[in-house]
Every structure is written in structure tokens, then in C-alpha cells.
Amino acid sequence: MEPQNLTDISEFLLLGLSEDPGQQPLLFGMFLSMYLVTMAGNLLIILAVISNPYLHKPMYFFLSILSLADIGFTSTTVPKVLVNTHTHQRDISYVGCLIQLSFLYLFACLDSLLLMVMAYDRFVAICHPLHYPVIMNPRLCGVLVLVSIFISLFNSQLHCMMVSQLTFCTDVEIPSFFCDPPQLFNLACSDTSTNTILIYLVGAIFGGFPISGILFSYTRIVPSVLRVPSSAGKSKAFFTCGSHLSVVCLFYGTAAGIYLSSAVSPSLRMGAVASVMYTVVTPMLNPFIYSLRNTDIKRALQRLLSRMS
């Protein structure tokens, strides 16, 4: 079989979670409901932060940017799933595949970096409370967000460039519901050893750096909290960090689940199911975690909903 150049391939086939026609309405309803909940929850967080002057603080500014990134993250994959499921088609164009994986890695990396920035914000607030307004000034907050965006853009373009160098044969069926570079590497006819090394190296750098930053922040936060004399002060500090830690565990836990499922289970569909948790469920749960565990967000949402009604 003669390999085709990538530019000659017009489309890929996304096999999704199931090829059973009887399950398509169920999958459509599941993805649509999760997408609507994700959009509504994250938009409410953003509107609550914008409309309430009390929430015009660095912590909630970063939270609103995180919600915006989650909207982009889930919008990269779910609308295409809904269209393909509704029309009973599985194709995605070559250009569309590259665009999808570019935005997917853009928002995934941005989520990761924002979680690190939010950990740094909690570190300054708890360990250096008197200097917090000076350190976390609006200029620094804007710079941190812009740097995170530029790093994420660089990361996404690296993945896009690595995929664009691949050569494929006639088999272009992707056993997932979105274009994922590891899956595309498995379909390539050319030697992908260098690409595989590069993608894991890039993943280790852009994934390991935020994790290291988060761990460093909390190794400083925990001793500072334990030195607080009053139990009320300790509980308030831990409560402030609880939402962030929950989101961190959910984000990186589901990401690790994708790689563990692909390594342990030979079924590629199991990896696709794990990807649903990472790309759809996590952005949906983030607003609930922050609204249920944060009194300020809860009050702002109540005021916002009362105005809307």
C-alpha cells in the first residue's frame, strides 16, 4: 500500500464512543446536556464576577478567565460531536482536524497554567497577606494571563506542526471523538518515533512546569496555615484553597486517567471514554465546585439570578 502525503488526505473519520445506531440518540442527548450545563455554569461565573464589584479581585479575575478557557475547551470538541451524531456522519476535514487539535491544546495548556497562577495567588494571599495588594496588582494579573496565553499558543502550534509532518496511508479512522495527536501517530505510515519523543517531551515540560508550581505554592501554604493560632483562621484559609485543590485534582486526575487507561487497557474505546471525562466532564464540574464551596461566589450568583428573574 503506497502511503499518501498528508496534504492529499481530505478527511479523517471520528469513530466516537459507539458505532451502534441505537445508541446515537442517547449519546447526542448526553453530550448536548453536558455542553449546555457547561456553558451555563461557566457563563454564570463570568457574569457574577463582572457584575459584582466585591468580586473584582485577582482570585476571581483568574477564575473568570479559567471559566472562559473551559468554555473554549469544551466548545472545541462537543459541537462537532453533536453535528456528527445528529447527521449520522463521522468525517472531519484535514484542516478541521488541525484546527481542532490546535484549539484543544491551546485551552488545555491555558487551563493548566491558570491553575498554577491561581495557586501562586493563594500563596501570596496566605503567606504574604500584608503585601498582597501590592504584589498582585492589576498589571501583574494581566501580565500573568497574557504570558499564559502566549505559552499556550506556542504549545498548541508545536503539536499542530508535529501532526502536519506526518504521512498517512488509506486508513484514517480515529478511535475517538476528536483529533488527538497520539491517535494520529498510531495511524501514520511514516516513522513516528521522533514525533512521539517530542510530544512526550513537550507534554512533560508544559504539564510538569504548572504541576511543579502548584506543588511549590502549597508546600509554602500548608506550613503557613498550620502556624495560624486560631482554628477559625485555619479553617478559613483551608476553605479558600479547597475549591482550587478540588479543581486541580479533577483536572490532572482525569488527564492522568487517559494515559493510564491507554497503557493498562488494550481497548482504544476505553481511552475515548476517559477522554470524555477530561474534555467534557471536568469543564462542566468546575463552576459547581467553586460555587458550592465559595460563599462569595454563591452570594453573587444568587444576586445575579434574582436580577435575571
Side-chain angles (χ1 to χ4, degrees):
M1 182 180 297
E2 291 295 329
Q4 296 176 330
N5 189 281
L6 184 61
T7 54
D8 294 332
I9 295 177
S10 60
E11 64 181 22
F12 296 97
L13 295 180
L14 300 174
L15 300 185
L17 299 180
S18 174
E19 298 181 53
D20 184 3
Q23 295 184 2
Q24 299 309 306
L26 178 62
L27 291 174
F28 180 84
M30 180 187 72
F31 276 102
L32 179 61
S33 59
M34 288 193 295
Y35 183 64
L36 292 177
V37 171
T38 301
M39 294 293 291
N42 284 287
L43 283 175
L44 283 175
I45 292 289
I46 296 172
L47 291 175
V49 173
I50 293 175
S51 63
N52 195 326
Y54 181 77
L55 299 183
H56 293 175
K57 300 176 181 179
M59 173 183 176
Y60 300 111
F61 169 69
F62 295 134
L63 176 59
S64 63
I65 302 298
L66 180 67
S67 295
L68 192 61
D70 282 338
I71 290 175
F73 190 38
T74 192
S75 296
T76 303
T77 57
V78 176
K80 182 60 179 176
V81 175
L82 294 175
V83 171
N84 284 5
T85 305
H86 181 69
T87 59
H88 303 287
Q89 296 179 351
R90 299 178 296 171
D91 61 288
I92 182 171
S93 67
Y94 160 63
V95 176
C97 187
L98 289 181
I99 293 174
Q100 187 182 68
L101 72 89
S102 296
F103 279 105
L104 185 71
Y105 277 85
L106 166 66
F107 290 116
C109 185
L110 184 58
D111 264 13
S112 182
L113 291 172
L114 286 174
L115 290 175
M116 181 186 68
V117 170
M118 294 172 75
Y120 174 72
D121 173 73
R122 292 300 84 207
F123 160 71
V124 177
I126 293 174
C127 299
H128 305 284
L130 298 179
H131 299 91
Y132 179 76
V134 177
I135 297 175
M136 299 303 296
N137 57 76
R139 182 179 180 180
L140 177 63
C141 294
V143 169
L144 289 174
V145 171
L146 287 177
V147 170
S148 299
I149 292 174
F150 283 125
I151 293 176
S152 301
L153 278 171
F154 179 69
N155 177 42
S156 68
Q157 292 310 302
L158 275 179
H159 283 87
C160 186
M161 181 184 65
M162 285 187 284
V163 171
S164 65
Q165 301 303 313
L166 297 177
T167 302
F168 292 90
C169 297
T170 55
D171 184 11
V172 288
E173 294 184 345
I174 302 174
S176 183
F177 59 92
F178 64 94
C179 291
D180 194 21
Q183 300 286 0
L184 293 173
F185 288 161
N186 293 332
L187 299 176
C189 294
S190 56
D191 181 27
T192 60
S193 57
T194 303
N195 302 72
T196 303
I197 294 173
L198 283 175
I199 196 170
Y200 279 109
L201 180 62
V202 170
I205 294 173
F206 289 99
F209 176 68
I211 293 175
S212 300
I214 293 170
L215 292 176
F216 173 79
S217 296
Y218 278 100
T219 55
R220 300 297 184 91
I221 290 174
V222 173
S224 298
V225 172
L226 294 178
R227 287 196 295 267
V228 176
S230 64
S231 58
K234 290 181 180 178
S235 61
K236 182 179 180 181
F238 279 121
F239 188 79
T240 303
C241 300
S243 300
H244 178 257
L245 278 175
S246 299
V247 173
V248 167
C249 293
L250 182 64
F251 181 80
Y252 289 106
T254 52
I258 296 177
Y259 292 98
L260 289 176
S261 63
S262 61
V264 175
S265 175
S267 174
L268 294 175
R269 289 299 171 84
M270 290 300 296
V273 173
S275 298
V276 174
M277 292 294 298
Y278 181 65
T279 59
V280 184
V281 177
T282 298
M284 180 183 68
L285 293 181
N286 285 351
F288 293 98
I289 293 174
Y290 275 104
S291 61
L292 292 176
R293 297 180 63 90
N294 190 298
T295 306
D296 295 334
I297 290 291
K298 193 182 298 184
R299 291 174 180 172
L301 287 174
Q302 290 174 349
R303 292 176 183 175
L304 178 65
L305 292 175
S306 62
R307 292 176 186 175
M308 294 173 63
S309 61

